[in-house]
Each structure stands twice: as C-alpha cells, then as structure tokens.
Amino acid sequence: MMKANKYTFGLLISIGINIILLSYIIILYHSGSNQFIERQCSLSWSEKAAAEAEAVAAISCSGHGRAYLDGPVNYEQSEGQVRPVCECYDCYGGLDCSILSPECPADADSGDPIFLEPFWMEHATESAVMISGWHRMSYRYVDYTTMSSELEKYIRKMHAIVGNAITEGRYLVFGIGSSQLLNAAVYALSSDNSSSPSNVLATIPFYPMYNAQTVFFHSENFQFQGDSNTWILNNNNNNIPTNNKNVVEFVTSPNNPDGELKTSVVLGAKTIYDHAYFWPHFTPIPSPSDRDLMIFTLSKLTGHAGTRFGWAVIKDKDVYDKMLNYISVADMSISKDTQLRVLQLLKVAVKDHGKPLFEFAYDKMRDRWARLTSVFSKSTRFSLQHRHPLHCSFFNQTRLPSPAYAWVKCEREEDQDCGKVLETDGKIKGRSGSIFSAGDRCVRLSLIKSQDDFELLLKRLTQLVALENNINGGAVQIM
Amino acid sequence: MMKANKYTFGLLISIGINIILLSYIIILYHSGSNQFIERQCSLSWSEKAAAEAEAVAAISCSGHGRAYLDGPVNYEQSEGQVRPVCECYDCYGGLDCSILSPECPADADSGDPIFLEPFWMEHATESAVMISGWHRMSYRYVDYTTMSSELEKYIRKMHAIVGNAITEGRYLVFGIGSSQLLNAAVYALSSDNSSSPSNVLATIPFYPMYNAQTVFFHSENFQFQGDSNTWILNNNNNNIPTNNKNVVEFVTSPNNPDGELKTSVVLGAKTIYDHAYFWPHFTPIPSPSDRDLMIFTLSKLTGHAGTRFGWAVIKDKDVYDKMLNYISVADMSISKDTQLRVLQLLKVAVKDHGKPLFEFAYDKMRDRWARLTSVFSKSTRFSLQHRHPLHCSFFNQTRLPSPAYAWVKCEREEDQDCGKVLETDGKIKGRSGSIFSAGDRCVRLSLIKSQDDFELLLKRLTQLVALENNINGGAVQIM
C-alpha cells in the first residue's frame, strides 16, 4: 500500500507537470501576451518588406558580388519565386560571381568608397531602416524647413566627436552630395551685383569638378580661372588682399588627388573649404577646422556615395541664405527618404564616440598603405606622394596620413604618359594627372574601393614592379 | 502488486508524455525548422528596424498629426523609451494633436499632395521598403549607369497602363523632382554655340519656377523672356517658324495654376512639355502625349513630394546626352535609396492596371470639386475656372477635369487684390495670381492637401460666400 501511494503521488505530480507543459504550449500558440510570442510576432505591415530584404541579402554571390532589392530580376524563374540576381564586382562573372576573368585590368579609377561596406554588414541590425509607404510625403518638415532637424543634430554631434570642424553657432545646408554644394557655394560667394564676374580658382592638382561646374553653368556671375598660383603671378604681383576681393578660391583639404592638407593661397579671397576627406581614416586631424564655408560629404565619411548626401557648415547668414536659395531653386530640397537613411547611419557612426567606425576605417586604410608602400619601395620607376606625420587629436597619436588615393609619379624620362604606362604595362586603370590639371606624369589610383579591387590592384602593381626589376637584372615575381 | 504495476505503468506513460511535451517546447525555442517558428521568427537583422517603424506608426496623434522615425524626440522620456513625438498638421496642437485653433487660417497655398496619404496607409504592407546599411553604397549600378534599370521598366509600364505618354523608343532621365529636370531641359535645348542666348518663354498664367530658375542661374546660354504670346507680338509678327529657332517654350499641360490642357503657341520653338499633372486623377487623358521632351514627377502621381523624384521622356539622343550631362555635373546622380523607394511605390501603383491608385485619387478629387463647385455656385463675388469635359481613355468615360488647383477670380471691381480679399475677409491663404504673372485678380487654391486642410478651406469658403449673401440680404450660414 505504501508503494502504491508512492506511485499515486508520483503519477499525480507527473500528470500535474503534463498539464503545466501542455498549457504552456497552448499559451505559446494562442496568446499574444506571452513574452516569447511578443518578441517574435509583433510585426504586421512591415514584416513582408523585412523578410524580402533578408531573403535578398542571403543570396550567395561567392563574396564577389551582391544581390539588391532593386536589382535585375531573373524572369526565367517561376512567377512566385522572382528574385534579384547576383550583380558581380568588376572582373567576376557567372550566376554566382565565382568566375574570375584572369586578364581583367585592375580598375583604380573611381573614388567609390566600398572599403567601408563590411563595416555596415557587421552593423546590419542598427543600420537598417524601414520606410513606410506614407513616410514624409510633404515637401517640408513640421518646422517648415526642408532639412531634418534630427539629422542636423547628429551631424553636429559627429563633428564634435571627431573634432574636425567647429559647428557651434554655424549654419548647416544639406545638398545632393558635396557636388551640388560646391556649385551652390560658388553662386553664393560670387558677386551678382558686380560689373565683372568673380574669378574662381583652385590650386593644381585639383578636383576637376570645380572646373566642370563653373564652365558648364556658364553663368555671368563667375568664371573659372584655373590655378591659384598662376593667377597670383599674372594678376597680382604682390598678392594684395584688396585686389582679390572678387576671387572665390577652392581649398581641398586633404587634397584630391594627393591627400595634402591645404590652406588658401590667395590673400583676401573668399574661400570654399572642401573637407570631403577630412576624417580620421584618411588624415590625422590636427585641430577642428574653423573656416567660413566648409563642405563635407557622407560618401567619404560612411562610404555611402550612392546616397548622394553632403552638407555645408557656414558662418555668414547671408551666404547661408544664398545657398539655401540655390538648393530651393535647383531642386527644392533633399529627398526625405535619403535624410531618414542618413540619420540612421549617423546614429550608428557616432556610437561609442565614433571609435568602431573610425577604427575599422583607419585600420583598413593603414593596412592598404602599408602593403602599397612595400610594393613601391622595390621600385625606382614609380614613386608615391610623400606623407608627413602629424598628431591626430581624434586617435590621440602621431601618425602618417592614409589618403584615399595614391598619387603615383612615373620617374623615367620616357614614361611621360604615366596613365598609359600603367594601363599598357601593368593592366591598371588610374585617373590621369591631366584630369587634375597636373600633366600626365602623375596618375591617381583609388585605394578605397572593395577588397577585391584592392587585391587585384596590388597584384598588378607587384607584377609591374617585378617586371621593372627583371629588366634591371632581377627575377620576375608573379603573385 | 497489480495496483502498484498499474500505477507504475501510468507513471511511465505520464513521464513519457512529459518528455515529449518538454522536447516539443525545447524544439519550439531552439529549432528553426518548425513551421510555426519559421513563419514568425525568420527575421534577424531587419527585425529591430521593422519593429521601430511599426512602433512609431502606432503612435496616436488623433488623426490630426503623425509621428515619424526621424521626427523630433521628447528627451524628457526615460532613455530607454525615447520616441518621436506627434507632429501636428496645420491648425492642430497639443501633445496628441487633438486641440484645434479656432481662428487658424485655411492654408491652401502649397501644392503638397497629401490627399494621397490615406491610399499608402491602406497599402502599408506592399509599399514598405527595408533599406539595409550596405544597400548600394556605390555611385553606380552594375550596368555603369546611375539610373536603376528596374525603376525605368516600371516607369515605362506606368505610362503604358495609363496611356498618357509614348515611351517606346524614347530615352529616360531621372532628376531631383521635376524641378531639376526643368532647368536641365533648358540647358539641353539652349544653343551653347549660338552668338545670342536662347529665349525662354511660357504662356501666362505660368508656374513661377521657369522664371526663377532661368533668372537665378544667370547663364550666358539663355534668358527668360516671359509670356509667349507677348513675345510673338513683339518679335515675330507672323509667328514664322524660322525666326523661332532660338526659342525654348515651356508648355504646362495640364497647366499650373488653371488645369487647362495646353499646346505650344510659338511655331518652330523647342518645347518642354511639363506633364506633372497629366494623370487621370487631375484630367481626362484624351490620348498619349508624344512630345519631343516631356517631364513628369512622382509628387503629383503618387503624392510623394518629399521623395524628390522626377523623370524626363526624350526623343532625341543629343538632348538626352545633354540632360544626362547636366545631372552628372550638377550633383552626379539621384540617391539610390530614393530610387529603391520609388520602385517599391510604383510596383504598388501599377497593380491591377493602376485601378486602385487612380480610382482612389480620382474619387477624392471629384468629391472635392463637387463640394467646391457647390459652394461657388452660391457666389457672384468669386468664380472658378471653367472645366471642359473630355473623353478619358484610361477610365473610358467622358468626364470633367478635376484639377489640383482652383483658379479663383474675384469678380467685383473693387476686389483687385483677390489674395488679400480671401485672406482678410475669409481667413484663407492662397497663392496670388501675380506669382503666375497673371495679375492679382486671380488666386490659386490648392485642393490636394490633407483632408483636414480641405475641410477647413471649404468651411472658410462657405463662410465667406455666406457673408456675401448676407450683405446681399441672405442669412449667414455657419458650418
């Protein structure tokens, strides 16, 4: 009887546990109040879009390509399964981008900042953004502006963290990339009530957009006059400030193509500081810039060139008003969808005082430069620009710059067209020095593209230098 | 012993069931292969962004405001619960936008197309889009262009469905709203190798942007010459085509402000057809437009003005190349994020041959016009533009236009400044006729804003007309 009682007792407990477990399963299925269910099943209208984005992101392209939500679709698939196909990086092909074309040239031409893509894949959760169908349909925000005040806050916060620009008491204007703001600035600074057009200058080697825009818009307010130093020699023997009132000078710092930190050379000129590359991954930040008109772009900060977003930091109210007016007349304002996405990206970028982003980006650039200089150290035919160490207040250390571009010079007398030499002898596409008004003895090579692009560039450069050493009696090294 | 055996047997079965139930719960938690789990828990990196968007969308603003992901944040809330606050529509206030300011004027000034917002809220699931942190960081698409070929397909599909423009064998160029394309078109059509600048014309009343852009850019290539008809009288007695080669004429059809379908008046002029409003909700579509250069905008098609997206349909390869070049020099290209969102919206818009969107939009506009004409029918002081019935090939019926704007005329001799009359006597803000170069006898009232805005406008108009009838001996009706 004692034994039967024990069994009865055990059975009752077991049945009790049965009931509890069964109830729990029923609750899991039917109640929305359970925490487990809550976390997993709270989505309604957004779930489909989220699932689609994840499905596309999960398409495997062998690490040499990527599928996108808005990519080309393979219509041969059955209707229910229409999915974007892999878009292969340069030199890769095949349905899953696994086939490398062995003779493909290394393309180091464009400034596409894809080197930061892995950072955003690592921070997928925080950087994703869901845009509803009814998100901000109006031309304006609730404060009657066309610029998001939340985004403005995060841009100021970014500069405060990095210490690369003073933004307190300054005005901000958003533009379609820095490109639009460059021209808006020229319009704002050139005198529309003067009898003669303003003279727009830049110092060789300079970013060709300055020239292209001023020539293209063909305005009566300004004209491009080329190199600042030449202009001083020709127009202004003593570089007297009073004679330079009608000058608008572009100062690109760090400079594109050569990465040099620059300052204005024309005394008394109105200046536009193009600070696109003034971030800790490209240059030591000696101190915050405090210029009258400074232009930045998301492209070279977070790597989102395709997002087309830039901003100007402006001291003078009148210049601010004129630039706002430019944006308003040119295209009314910046896409609200773009502004939402930029806000999300900057929220991630400022986290932990910017350390994760800038450490990732700087490590990448430093590594690329270390490998690049190692290759060039074996060459007498090709040389790189000099880099000067400086104290970086952001990383709190003295370090070399790690510019976005290598500015390569062909040292041999006969190699007059350096771009052609690299292309013919090395299967390397660069951007010719003449594009930067600097003659063809130099070539710009982009170091900020994808890892695949950089590896191929380094391979081709190594082969080119080996060839040179072979001619000089050394052995050919094929990597 | 028999009893004990029975209990043992029962206990064993019960424990067995326990184990099965427990295993099931463990599987529910840890395995992804269960269908129940699959459906609910397939999301990983995108879940947080989706949940945030839904949480913000669920914030109640009494139907008189809205909260947005990138809206102002109430920092008084505890850190973990920072949420955007309600942004109230005009005339509403309070934390949840429930307080109406009784003296608030009806603002019918801007062309903000918020009347379509409810359509997108009804189609929340299909129109949402999730943008990953690494989405299209490059300047270009895989085909080396800066325009999404998928989006291009859907734009062509849209025109084919609606039958409002021929796009087969035509080139497309995307721009920042139609605004940017208007100026790009002027640049493309004005002769840069001619000794004299091109003459840019439009017919009164015309959209003021045409004037503003050509004056602002102050180019040596073109100059704004105002009204086409005046220009013909002054320059060209017989309107001879050969004399008009250097003319660029804007033709806005339907016209902004008055909704008239227009054609070119200057023989032999190069024309820019601004077809922003050439959609079935605003006008009957008699037949597809087949002009050399036609410009459209998303703003007046789906209501997404804030997205800043427009496109040009172009016959001539040379004009296409020049417009592409304009976009490239002005700001390189259109945001890839914007293009992704527009694609998603157009996918919804073309569904069921566009019927859901255009029926929703047309019903809304027809209803507003019916109520508006009813009010004006009681007035002799104010009149509306005439509307002419036409056959609409899209709806396959003859119908009246339902323009985006009422073009109101003050009929009394003394009411010379009609805008001022509406503002002072009626508490109604319109856009003065002089802004459209048409004198102040007329005012444009926007009919495409939110339902709240329209209701207030109608209330104020009813009061104004009642006042007029009261003065004439009638009774004041207060709605």
Side-chain angles (χ1 to χ4, degrees), chain B residues 82-291:
Chain B
V82 168
R83 279 277 165 81
V85 298
C86 283
E87 303 179 18
C88 302
Y89 300 152
D90 283 345
C91 302
Y92 287 89
L95 278 178
D96 64 349
C97 306
S98 60
I99 305 162
L100 174 67
S101 307
E103 293 306 302
C104 182
D107 188 345
D109 183 17
S110 95
D112 241 350
I114 309 301
F115 78 111
L116 284 168
E117 198 184 60
F119 176 83
W120 296 104
M121 303 193 85
E122 281 171 25
H123 293 78
T125 301
E126 312 98 282
S127 59
V129 66
M130 168 69 74
I131 305 190
S132 71
W134 65 89
H135 179 74
R136 297 221 181 266
M137 295 174 68
S138 173
Y139 286 104
R140 61 171 179 85
Y141 291 93
V142 72
D143 59 2
Y144 287 81
T145 72
T146 55
M147 297 189 289
S148 159
S149 57
E150 278 302 297
L151 178 51
E152 200 174 316
K153 272 185 214 161
Y154 274 88
I155 289 173
R156 291 179 191 275
K157 193 170 180 178
M158 191 77 210
H159 285 299
I161 283 171
V162 174
N164 64 339
I166 303 284
T167 63
E168 291 84 12
R170 307 287 184 275
Y171 303 97
L172 291 195
V173 173
F174 300 168
I176 314 289
S178 59
S179 321
Q180 185 181 36
L181 293 166
L182 299 173
N183 198 47
V186 172
Y187 266 97
L189 297 182
S190 60
S191 41
D192 51 2
N193 50 6
S194 162
S195 56
S196 59
S198 291
N199 301 294
V200 181
L201 305 172
T203 306
I204 288 174
F206 59 79
Y207 181 46
M209 188 64 119
Y210 310 142
N211 186 354
Q213 285 187 335
T214 44
V215 168
F216 183 87
F217 284 99
H218 207 199
S219 170
E220 294 186 20
N221 301 5
F222 51 77
Q223 56 194 9
F224 195 71
Q225 296 282 13
D227 183 46
S228 320
N229 290 313
T230 311
W231 192 86
I232 292 170
L233 283 174
N234 293 343
N235 291 273
N236 203 334
N237 279 332
N238 301 311
N239 197 10
I240 303 163
T242 48
N243 293 359
N244 297 331
K245 269 183 7 190
N246 209 13
V247 167
V248 176
E249 185 188 357
F250 276 108
V251 185
T252 323
S253 183
N255 196 33
N256 175 2
D258 61 11
E260 283 282 322
L261 290 176
K262 305 279 278 272
T263 49
S264 167
V265 297
V266 185
L267 288 175
K270 296 167 192 157
T271 53
I272 301 169
Y273 272 80
D274 181 345
H275 278 325
Y277 300 89
F278 197 51
W279 297 104
H281 37 282
F282 296 130
T283 177
I285 307 291
S287 61
S289 184
D290 188 22
R291 307 295 179 172

Side-chain angles (χ1 to χ4, degrees), chain A residues 11-258:
Chain A
L11 183 60
L12 285 175
I13 287 179
S14 181
I15 289 172
I17 293 172
N18 274 338
I19 292 168
I20 290 168
L21 291 175
L22 200 63
S23 312
Y24 189 60
I25 289 173
I26 291 167
I27 287 169
L28 272 183
Y29 269 98
H30 295 285
S31 152
S33 66
N34 181 283
Q35 205 195 351
F36 169 72
I37 296 282
E38 261 293 296
R39 201 183 66 78
Q40 304 292 350
C41 314
S42 60
L43 297 180
S44 65
W45 56 267
S46 72
E47 193 185 332
K48 184 169 166 280
E52 274 172 10
E54 292 206 4
V56 170
I59 294 171
S60 166
C61 305
S62 313
H64 304 300
R66 203 162 303 297
Y68 293 103
L69 271 178
D70 54 359
V73 169
N74 186 355
Y75 284 104
E76 286 171 25
Q77 293 169 337
S78 67
E79 188 60 32
Q81 289 183 313
V82 168
R83 280 277 164 80
V85 298
C86 283
E87 302 179 18
C88 302
Y89 299 152
D90 283 345
C91 303
Y92 287 88
L95 278 178
D96 64 349
C97 305
S98 59
I99 303 163
L100 173 66
S101 307
E103 293 306 300
C104 182
D107 189 344
D109 183 17
S110 94
D112 241 351
I114 309 302
F115 78 111
L116 284 167
E117 198 185 60
F119 177 83
W120 297 103
M121 303 195 86
E122 280 170 26
H123 294 79
T125 303
E126 312 98 282
S127 59
V129 66
M130 168 68 74
I131 305 189
S132 71
W134 64 91
H135 178 73
R136 296 220 182 267
M137 294 175 67
S138 172
Y139 286 105
R140 63 170 178 85
Y141 291 93
V142 73
D143 59 2
Y144 286 80
T145 73
T146 55
M147 297 190 286
S148 158
S149 57
E150 278 300 298
L151 178 52
E152 199 174 319
K153 270 185 216 162
Y154 273 88
I155 290 173
R156 291 179 192 274
K157 194 170 179 178
M158 190 79 210
H159 285 300
I161 283 171
V162 174
N164 65 339
I166 304 284
T167 64
E168 291 82 14
R170 308 288 184 274
Y171 303 97
L172 292 195
V173 173
F174 300 168
I176 314 290
S178 58
S179 321
Q180 184 180 38
L181 294 166
L182 298 173
N183 198 47
V186 171
Y187 267 97
L189 297 183
S190 59
S191 40
D192 51 2
N193 51 7
S194 162
S195 55
S196 59
S198 291
N199 301 295
V200 180
L201 306 172
T203 306
I204 289 175
F206 59 78
Y207 182 46
M209 188 66 121
Y210 308 143
N211 185 355
Q213 286 187 334
T214 43
V215 168
F216 183 87
F217 285 99
H218 207 197
S219 170
E220 294 186 20
N221 300 6
F222 50 78
Q223 54 194 10
F224 195 70
Q225 296 282 12
D227 183 47
S228 319
N229 290 312
T230 312
W231 192 87
I232 292 170
L233 283 173
N234 293 343
N235 290 272
N236 203 335
N237 280 331
N238 301 311
N239 195 9
I240 304 162
T242 49
N243 292 1
N244 297 331
K245 268 180 15 188
N246 210 13
V247 167
V248 176
E249 185 189 356
F250 276 110
V251 184
T252 323
S253 184
N255 195 35
N256 175 1
D258 60 12

